[in-house]
Amino acid sequence: MEKLRVAIQKSGRLSDKSLELLKEAGISLNNGSRKLRSVAQSFPLEVIYLRDDDIPQYVEDGVAQIGIVGENEYAEKNCAVDLVERLGYSRCRLSIAIPKGGSYDNLKDLNGKRIATSYPVILEKYLGERGIKSDVHVLSGSVELAPSIGIADAIFDIVSSGSTLISNGLKEVETVMHSEAVIISNRNLKEGEKALLADLLFRIRSVLAASNNKYILLNAPNHNLQKIIDVIPGMKSPTIMPLAQEGWSSVHSVLSEKTFWAVIGQLRELGAQGILVIPIEKMIV
Ligand code: ATP
Ligand code: MG
């Protein structure tokens, strides 16, 4: 029988969340990023654990049918694979930074400068498209150190909070790309593998939609019922039920995490009471 092999990061910033996502999609693995491979119990799938750098190539070669990597790694390796889903975790950006005291007006200031990075492909493409010629110096780690030890004038690296830059006396001057965890897929899947991937993506999308939404219940005074319904952008339309108490209704709907606090504020102003907000476990989309 057909089986899907999924490559995920062995240990690092993507590992726990990727395993968690599979688990929430109903795929339990007999615990093990300590192993190199584990087989799922309830779905025809097995996971292999790799360095994230190796995942795009393994997926291109069909050693694994799909993989979970940072979008930065997908862009850098430039492999012949498809990006099939964005997963919303491990968000970061890739930026150019220079020493704190340095002057900087625009990208042209980087002409002829030495830039240290672990992401030469992304950087060269960005600079090339803008007609900038810098000397790109490839380092596999400790990139932030390069300016202070005199081997580069600038760096191009991953930034999340920016605190690593600050503690190395650097300042961010250009954001080149944003990244999040993504699912990549081999381009020559067999029919059975395609069907398994579609099933897996359906489950994953249901998990992601649920985590981005909340179920909301509230009591609304009937004189403001229509206004209350209007501020809740529910899935289709809210469920309305009369309360035993005259003049009041119970309203049930789904709210997106993004609009959540703004909508709650408006609902209170419109006289909504007894507002309950409940996490959704799965949301079938
Ligand atoms: P490996 O040993 O597998 O090669 P690594 O050291 O290259 O691991 P990690 O540091 O674990 O990689 O980061 C994995 C991915 O997580 C990165 O490619 C990036 O997409 C994302 N990432 C990196 N740093 C951060 C951060 N500070 N915040 C959020 N996401 C990040
Ligand atoms: Mg890596």
Side-chain angles (χ1 to χ4, degrees), residues 97-111:
I98 65 166
K100 193 170 62 206
S103 69
Y104 186 87
D105 285 325
N106 58 46
L107 212 56
K108 291 202 182 75
D109 295 341
L110 295 172
N111 262 319

Side-chain angles (χ1 to χ4, degrees), residues 21-284:
L21 178 66
L22 289 177
K23 191 172 158 204
E24 286 176 353
I27 293 159
S28 54
L29 297 157
N30 35 18
N31 198 43
S33 51
R34 268 160 302 179
K35 294 194 287 183
L36 293 176
R37 159 180 181 160
S38 42
V39 178
Q41 269 113 54
S42 49
F43 196 89
L45 176 152
E46 88 177 354
V47 170
I48 55 170
Y49 302 95
L50 301 170
R51 291 264 329 255
D52 67 348
D53 309 59
D54 297 331
I55 292 177
Q57 190 63 53
Y58 275 57
V59 171
E60 176 179 321
D61 294 344
V63 175
Q65 283 73 46
I66 62 170
I68 301 181
V69 285
E71 206 174 337
N72 51 310
E73 219 44 74
Y74 161 73
E76 178 64 25
K77 293 302 184 293
N78 205 10
C79 287
V81 297
D82 291 327
L83 193 167
V84 292
E85 188 65 42
R86 293 173 187 280
L87 300 172
Y89 56 85
S90 301
R91 285 184 191 275
C92 57
R93 56 190 189 276
L94 277 77
S95 296
I96 299 173
I98 65 166
K100 193 170 62 206
S103 69
Y104 186 87
D105 285 325
N106 58 46
L107 212 56
K108 291 202 182 75
D109 295 341
L110 295 172
N111 262 319
K113 295 283 164 56
R114 294 165 305 167
I115 310 179
T117 187
S118 310
Y119 297 97
V121 172
I122 298 171
L123 179 62
E124 306 249 28
K125 178 162 180 278
Y126 183 81
L127 296 175
E129 283 169 359
R130 288 159 183 78
I132 308 294
K133 289 198 173 64
S134 307
D135 175 13
V136 174
H137 188 89
V138 183
L139 292 179
S140 60
S142 304
V143 171
E144 309 84 5
L145 214 56
S148 67
I149 57 174
I151 59 168
D153 305 302
I155 66 158
F156 171 61
D157 204 6
I158 290 177
V159 182
S160 62
S161 68
S163 58
T164 310
L165 289 184
I166 293 167
S167 63
N168 284 286
L170 299 168
K171 64 177 178 190
E172 196 174 349
V173 293
E174 298 282 343
T175 302
V176 172
M177 80 173 278
H178 290 270
S179 176
E180 64 189 283
V182 297
I183 300 184
I184 54 173
S185 161
N186 177 274
R187 289 187 177 161
N188 307 303
L189 297 183
K190 297 183 196 129
E191 285 311 311
E193 293 167 343
K194 279 187 196 161
L196 288 175
L197 176 57
D199 189 356
L200 181 66
L201 287 177
F202 167 75
R203 293 180 180 209
I204 284 175
R205 284 171 188 147
S206 302
V207 172
L208 295 176
S211 68
N212 291 330
N213 288 279
K214 304 277 180 227
Y215 194 77
I216 179 169
L217 301 93
L218 59 85
N219 295 333
N222 286 347
H223 64 270
N224 265 349
L225 189 55
Q226 192 54 50
K227 284 189 184 141
I228 286 177
I229 292 169
D230 291 344
V231 299
I232 307 176
M235 279 201 297
K236 273 211 183 81
S237 65
T239 305
I240 314 285
M241 284 172 287
L243 287 187
Q245 188 183 348
E246 191 78 19
W248 285 80
S249 301
S250 168
V251 178
H252 297 202
S253 193
V254 172
L255 261 190
S256 108
E257 188 86 90
K258 285 194 196 108
T259 54
F260 182 76
W261 287 110
V263 170
I264 296 290
Q266 291 178 55
L267 293 173
R268 293 180 65 201
E269 279 168 24
L270 289 166
Q273 294 182 0
I275 303 176
L276 295 181
V277 178
I278 300 170
I280 299 172
E281 180 160 318
K282 301 283 187 300
M283 191 162 141
I284 308 307

